[in-house]
Amino acid sequence: MGGTNGTGGMDSPEAVHGATPPVAAPDTDRARRPVAAALMLGMGLAAIDGTIVATAVPQIVGDLGGFSVFSWLFSGYLLAVTVTLPVYGKLSDTFGRKPVLIAGIVLFLAGSLLCATAWNMAALIAFRVVQGLGGGALQGTVQTIAADLYPLRERPRIQAKLSTVWATSAVAGPAVGGLLAAYADWRWIFLINLPVGAVALWLVVRHLHEPARPRPAARPRIDWAGALAVFATGALLLTALVQGGVAWPWLSVPSLGLLGAAAALAGLTVVIERRAAEPVIPGWVWRRRTIASVNLALGAMGLLMVAPTVFLPTYAQSVLGLGPIAAGFVLSVMTLSWPVAAALSDRVYNRIGFRRTAIIGMSGALLALLCFPLLPYPGAAWQPALLMLLLGATLGLFQLPLIIGVQSTVGWTERGTTTASVLFCRQVGQSVGAALFGAVANGVLASRLADAPVPGLPGDLDAVSRALEDPAALSAAATNHLRRAVDTATDHVFTGAAVAAGLALLVLVFVAPRRFPVLAEHEDTAPAPRG
């Protein structure tokens, strides 16, 4: 079967039938509700922060300046979240979920308050990094506690709620940010986090009770050297991916230097982690087939997600001629079908298993991605919207069974690290996808615009989008040429996303074990209280 961790379970309903409820979870659903509410609020904070700032960028730049570096408002936050995920995962396994979650909420709220007081762009970027340090703890620990809180058969319910919160926040973020920037002040974008976070913090402190664990024979040793190495490696790699092709050319000294330094630090990190008594990223994360395959599959999903989330809004506005709100709706339908499919996925994987359910989901996603380049030019808005509806449903059927499945193959003392590794790979996949598909889109545009009907047309995606916002300044032939160029570039990006979906399928078919080695429920929980 492969990928076992010392137990002989399998991913079927019978593997946990009749098992005792987890000792880490409250005995009744009513007792779990306050903690579940805190998890949803925490997830909402992390989710909405990725989108709410975007619509207020003009007001922020107008007030603080720093247009040339404003992209680091997003990149700095992403860097901090991504590189801290493995660290927080290990800390939650060592010291418990509650202190890590509390620290994450406090850091996030402190960063939000500091952002609201920023006096220039450099200060705001630095404070966004502080927010990201808290966001990393929120993302990983919330998902881990959700698995601790509910037994296997009930996990789809809480995970579907978290997916709904994430989808709702992603859709509502731009609208809320725009309203606050237009009718109040952009600083309220960060201040509104404070009351929401305070409620989540109170609920966690008051209602989340972890059982006392046996005292270890020796004091836990924190792998500070490994944590610093992971942080530095991730920061250099993501900086190279985010800024390459934007702030400097891909083959320039800064890009090659950052990538080379990241590779050298990655080798050093491996050496440090092999020697560490309690490594931040233990080797078993990659030695177990189940965890390694889920990491790779969700990394590929992160890669393909760049196509709809980053390039579809530009396509909708530049090619279809939609306004920002209508373009956002074309994308938002994906966030409507995703949580619905996730909530219903347990009816599928309880019958056929985690792996087969994920294969069905990714096969559907591959079909939707391959259909996008076949759309007519310029087409109607309902056509890509229908594909996004299908894509959301299939990805909901793909992601949630894998996350629940891999969490169910490890015990309490390994679940935080396992969950963090999965989320880390997904985040890195998104960063790689943004860099890779950005280079593909700009390369296609450059070749298509080489024979433009009029001279002086822009040659990169952002500049083309801005030019198409004022079509009166261009001739009809030039406008049509630019729109066709954007259409072709987007088709190439979605073809690349389909390749990523194919890679995820290959991983599931050839790397993932046929049955996930699910632990019996009494092994799947926190240690029993002392005494």
Side-chain angles (χ1 to χ4, degrees):
M1 181 168 58
T4 60
N5 54 2
T7 63
M10 58 183 178
D11 70 343
S12 65
E14 290 78 13
V16 295
H17 181 69
T20 57
V23 297
D27 292 334
T28 65
D29 184 64
R30 182 176 181 181
R32 286 193 293 245
R33 289 175 186 171
V35 182
L39 298 183
M40 294 172 69
L41 289 174
M43 182 63 76
L45 285 174
I48 201 170
D49 199 78
T51 57
I52 193 172
V53 179
T55 49
V57 165
Q59 288 78 10
I60 294 174
V61 171
D63 189 12
L64 302 180
F67 178 80
S68 61
V69 294
F70 84 86
S71 63
W72 276 99
L73 290 176
F74 310 97
S75 302
Y77 181 84
L78 174 66
L79 282 170
V81 168
T82 304
V83 300
T84 55
L85 276 168
V87 178
Y88 285 128
K90 181 62 179 178
L91 290 176
S92 74
D93 283 343
T94 304
F95 300 103
R97 326 294 191 213
K98 186 172 182 177
V100 173
L101 183 57
I102 289 174
I105 295 174
V106 170
L107 264 177
F108 188 90
L109 295 183
S112 299
L113 182 60
L114 290 170
C115 286
T117 64
W119 54 91
N120 58 32
M121 185 62 73
L124 183 57
I125 290 171
F127 298 150
R128 283 282 287 169
V129 171
V130 176
Q131 257 193 321
L133 295 176
L138 285 174
Q139 286 196 27
T141 313
V142 163
Q143 294 278 7
T144 306
I145 294 175
D148 292 340
L149 199 63
Y150 289 84
L152 176 58
R153 287 187 177 276
E154 298 182 43
R155 281 176 197 160
R157 183 172 58 181
I158 183 62
Q159 290 288 358
K161 290 179 180 178
L162 295 177
S163 296
T164 302
V165 169
W166 190 278
T168 303
S169 300
V171 174
V176 174
L179 288 173
L180 290 174
Y183 297 105
D185 186 272
W186 64 263
R187 297 178 190 274
W188 280 99
I189 289 174
F190 302 103
L191 290 175
I192 62 170
N193 291 333
L194 300 182
V196 177
V199 173
L201 184 61
W202 180 81
L203 289 173
V204 169
V205 172
R206 178 71 176 81
H207 295 283
L208 179 57
H209 303 293
E210 294 185 292
R213 295 179 294 147
R215 291 178 181 174
R219 183 178 179 181
R221 300 172 64 181
I222 302 176
D223 180 22
W224 294 115
L228 181 61
V230 169
F231 192 94
T233 302
L236 288 178
L237 175 62
L238 292 178
T239 300
L241 293 174
V242 169
Q243 296 297 100
V246 179
W248 47 68
W250 278 109
L251 297 180
S252 64
V253 173
S255 277
L256 296 178
L258 284 171
L259 290 173
L265 273 177
L268 178 62
T269 301
V270 172
V271 173
I272 292 173
E273 294 299 84
R274 283 183 174 179
R275 296 179 177 179
E278 295 288 340
V280 171
I281 303 181
W284 54 259
V285 168
W286 293 104
R287 287 195 297 268
R288 299 180 192 173
R289 280 180 59 191
T290 306
I291 302 174
S293 61
V294 172
N295 283 344
L296 293 173
L298 286 182
M301 191 200 79
L303 192 104
L304 72 87
M305 280 298 297
V306 172
T309 57
V310 175
F311 292 92
L312 186 64
T314 299
Y315 168 86
Q317 295 182 68
S318 300
V319 178
L320 302 182
L322 302 179
I325 296 177
F329 175 77
V330 172
L331 175 61
S332 67
V333 293
M334 181 176 70
T335 65
L336 300 177
S337 59
W338 190 315
V340 174
L344 299 176
S345 64
D346 64 314
R347 301 186 182 184
V348 183
Y349 68 68
N350 278 330
R351 291 178 177 271
I352 64 174
F354 297 116
R355 173 177 169 270
R356 291 179 180 176
T357 303
I359 288 175
I360 292 173
M362 188 51 72
S363 297
L366 175 61
L367 177 64
L369 293 168
L370 287 174
C371 285
F372 190 92
L374 303 178
L375 294 179
Y377 172 86
W382 68 266
Q383 295 167 331
L386 181 62
L387 290 182
M388 291 305 101
L389 192 69
L390 173 62
L391 185 63
T394 55
L395 290 179
L397 200 62
F398 165 80
Q399 177 181 257
L400 188 60
L402 289 183
I403 291 179
I404 291 178
V406 77
Q407 287 179 330
S408 302
T409 66
V410 295
W412 190 96
T413 56
E414 296 178 340
R415 189 175 293 134
T417 299
T418 300
T419 303
S421 73
V422 169
L423 299 180
F424 175 77
C425 289
R426 188 182 66 184
Q427 293 281 93
V428 171
Q430 288 179 335
S431 300
V432 172
L436 177 62
F437 293 147
V440 168
N442 286 326
V444 172
L445 281 175
S447 64
R448 293 286 173 172
L449 296 176
D451 58 346
V454 294
L457 291 180
D460 65 82
L461 191 61
D462 291 336
V464 168
S465 300
R466 288 194 295 270
L468 288 173
E469 290 177 358
D470 186 19
L474 302 171
S475 65
T479 299
N480 184 63
H481 192 84
L482 286 180
R483 284 181 172 168
R484 283 192 175 274
V486 174
D487 179 66
T488 302
T490 309
D491 286 346
H492 279 71
V493 167
F494 271 82
T495 301
V499 172
L503 292 175
L505 277 175
L506 289 175
V507 168
L508 291 174
V509 171
F510 294 107
V511 181
R514 291 182 179 274
R515 293 179 181 271
F516 280 25
V518 174
L519 297 181
E521 203 68 67
H522 69 278
E523 298 176 287
D524 187 25
T525 59
R530 285 175 292 158

